[in-house]
Amino acid sequence: MSGFVFSEKPIQIEEGDGSLLYDDSGTEYLDFGASYACVPLGHGHEAVHDAVTEQFEKLTYVQASYPNASRTALYDLLADTAPGDVDYTWLCNSGTEANEAALKFARAATGNSKIVATMQGFHGRTMGALATTWKSKYKKPYEPLMGDVEFVPYGDSEAMADAIDDETAAVIVEPVQGEGGINPGTREFLQTARVETATSGAALIFDEVQTGMGRTGTLWASEWADVVPDMITAAKGLGNGFPVGATLCREWIADNYGSHASTFSGGPVISAAAGATVSTIVEEEIPTHAREVGDYMIGELEAAVGDQVRDVRGEGLMIGVEVGRGANRALKELAITHNVLALPAGRTVVRFLPPLTVTEEEVDQVVDATAEVVGDE
Ligand SMILES: *Cc1c(COP(=O)(O)O)cnc(C)c1O
């Protein structure tokens, strides 16, 4: 018997602590991918451990139609910390589900079907979210997908404005594209989407599955962009490793969402994990730390390898190094020779999404390793 979707790497990970992972023979690795940005507070964080253990002992699961203090506290916390009047929450289990719900809610609330998405964008792999994802390799084998999606070049304000009309149900956009190569959006581009959707009556969805939870230097990248969207989707870091997604909405969406549900929405244990994660990030001002250490890492990378690579770019601790000869060779050498685990973003970008709690010393180790790997090219 064997799993078949993920190609397994030749390192068997068995333990984790903070920014570190350990394989089955006790070898230590710096986890600078945070396992797809899923552990913003690092592995085995005490506050999350305690909240989950306490809730598990009281009640593991009850359906979401019964109020439960753990879930209610999470709803309140998300409403308090989300920008503006984005006060309503739908809880699910993953990023693609959060986006799938957002697309459905937008269609129901507007009565329109057209979705505007961006080139190089990534929104997940279920049939609806996949239709708004750019890369044809992910889509081709499964077509036909949900129709009525128009793609505009990421960052092109004029094309964005032209694509939005009174038939548009929603614009879905990442404030910083992750999977597509770490492409930071400009405030102007994101604000154009806001103004045009507000004028036409369409919903603006910020996909913050990767940018959320403080990664770009504010709890939500929406704050950095100075935009209050109609919906914000979150997942990856939301439960510090526990599977949870959220679609946050304004009232006009929540009042007209149609008919949607999921068996495992907002279980008490998952809600406790997310509640502890978000409150720790806010109370310990983790986004500010992410901004400072992120700026430091970008500066150090530019100084160390700036001349040898095509580009170093990012926001906060969402950082990409575009290498000349393909990211996979560099990633393999980082892992095998330097015990640094990172991620690809497309074919040419090495992507760093470390826990937001990383230290400058840990950053120094990764910058030195990157310099050696790039120097070998
Ligand atoms: C990872 C990701 C998703 C998909 O999330 P899953 O939990 O893998 O379904 C959607 N949008 C963005 C921006 C992502 O980075």
Side-chain angles (χ1 to χ4, degrees), residues 14-176:
E14 297 294 347
E15 283 182 45
D17 181 17
S19 308
L20 301 173
L21 288 172
Y22 298 88
D23 71 10
D24 50 348
S25 60
T27 303
E28 186 178 290
Y29 295 85
L30 266 170
D31 186 11
F32 262 55
S35 296
Y36 298 122
C38 286
V39 288
L41 297 173
H43 295 279
H45 193 277
E46 201 181 338
V48 180
H49 171 274
D50 292 351
V52 165
T53 309
E54 199 180 307
Q55 182 56 52
F56 181 74
E57 282 169 5
K58 262 198 271 184
L59 176 66
T60 307
Y61 190 69
V62 65
Q63 70 195 65
S65 38
Y66 297 107
N68 170 269
S70 176
R71 187 188 319 108
T72 307
L74 179 59
Y75 287 157
D76 288 344
L77 184 59
L78 290 172
D80 285 350
T81 54
D85 53 356
V86 181
D87 288 341
Y88 297 81
T89 300
W90 157 252
L91 292 170
C92 54
N93 311 283
S94 67
T96 198
E97 275 178 79
N99 286 329
E100 201 75 24
L103 297 168
K104 286 177 71 178
F105 296 172
R107 282 188 165 184
T110 62
N112 288 328
S113 64
K114 189 175 110 176
I115 309 291
V116 176
T118 60
M119 294 178 186
Q120 278 78 47
F122 182 84
H123 303 294
R125 300 181 190 251
T126 52
M127 289 296 203
L130 184 59
T132 64
T133 288
W134 171 248
K135 214 177 190 175
S136 67
K137 182 182 144 191
Y138 296 161
K139 298 193 282 191
K140 265 271 171 298
Y142 310 110
E143 286 174 344
L145 304 172
M146 176 186 83
D148 230 356
V149 182
E150 183 177 340
F151 290 92
V152 300
Y154 191 74
D156 186 336
S157 303
E158 218 178 290
M160 176 60 87
D162 284 348
I164 299 166
D165 55 34
D166 54 15
E167 315 252 286
T168 307
V171 170
I172 184 165
V173 62
E174 297 155 271
V176 179

Side-chain angles (χ1 to χ4, degrees), residues 39-363:
V39 288
L41 297 173
H43 295 279
H45 193 277
E46 201 181 338
V48 180
H49 171 274
D50 292 351
V52 165
T53 309
E54 199 180 307
Q55 182 56 52
F56 181 74
E57 282 169 5
K58 262 198 271 184
L59 176 66
T60 307
Y61 190 69
V62 65
Q63 70 195 65
S65 38
Y66 297 107
N68 170 269
S70 176
R71 187 188 319 108
T72 307
L74 179 59
Y75 287 157
D76 288 344
L77 184 59
L78 290 172
D80 285 350
T81 54
D85 53 356
V86 181
D87 288 341
Y88 297 81
T89 300
W90 157 252
L91 292 170
C92 54
N93 311 283
S94 67
T96 198
E97 275 178 79
N99 286 329
E100 201 75 24
L103 297 168
K104 286 177 71 178
F105 296 172
R107 282 188 165 184
T110 62
N112 288 328
S113 64
K114 189 175 110 176
I115 309 291
V116 176
T118 60
M119 294 178 186
Q120 278 78 47
F122 182 84
H123 303 294
R125 300 181 190 251
T126 52
M127 289 296 203
L130 184 59
T132 64
T133 288
W134 171 248
K135 214 177 190 175
S136 67
K137 182 182 144 191
Y138 296 161
K139 298 193 282 191
K140 265 271 171 298
Y142 310 110
E143 286 174 344
L145 304 172
M146 176 186 83
D148 230 356
V149 182
E150 183 177 340
F151 290 92
V152 300
Y154 191 74
D156 186 336
S157 303
E158 218 178 290
M160 176 60 87
D162 284 348
I164 299 166
D165 55 34
D166 54 15
E167 315 252 286
T168 307
V171 170
I172 184 165
V173 62
E174 297 155 271
V176 179
Q177 287 187 329
E179 165 89 22
I182 309 291
N183 309 314
T186 62
R187 286 189 176 84
E188 192 220 336
F189 177 61
L190 298 167
Q191 287 171 4
T192 299
R194 174 65 290 178
V195 170
E196 297 295 329
T197 47
T199 308
S200 78
L204 177 61
I205 305 165
F206 268 17
D207 177 348
E208 296 227 36
V209 170
Q210 197 162 148
T211 56
M213 318 331 297
R215 181 148 298 277
T216 68
T218 45
L219 183 66
W220 303 104
S222 317
E223 296 165 48
W224 161 82
D226 204 11
V227 165
V228 180
D230 298 296
M231 285 185 263
I232 296 174
T233 57
K236 290 197 163 86
L238 181 57
N240 207 53
F242 284 84
V244 54
T247 308
L248 315 185
C249 325
R250 284 178 141 165
E251 193 171 16
W252 73 275
I253 303 283
D255 281 349
N256 301 286
Y257 74 93
S259 168
H260 187 71
S262 172
T263 301
F264 280 123
S265 174
V269 168
I270 289 314
S271 298
T277 303
V278 177
S279 55
T280 304
I281 288 174
V282 172
E283 280 158 24
E284 297 185 2
E285 297 182 23
I286 302 283
T288 307
H289 179 75
R291 159 68 51 204
E292 287 164 4
V293 182
D295 285 349
Y296 174 76
M297 184 163 179
I298 290 176
E300 294 296 296
L301 280 168
E302 266 164 3
V305 301
D307 302 342
Q308 291 153 277
V309 297
R310 287 193 201 151
D311 197 19
V312 176
R313 57 180 178 258
E315 280 297 328
L317 280 169
M318 190 167 175
I319 297 172
V321 178
E322 190 169 346
V323 291
R325 278 185 43 203
N328 277 334
R329 194 203 59 80
L331 286 166
K332 201 164 164 186
E333 201 179 320
L334 277 173
I336 303 295
T337 313
H338 300 279
N339 294 12
V340 170
L341 307 181
L343 298 163
R347 274 183 301 113
T348 57
V349 177
V350 173
R351 172 170 44 156
F352 295 113
L353 306 170
L356 305 182
T357 49
V358 280
T359 62
E360 290 192 355
E361 291 70 39
E362 288 167 334
V363 165

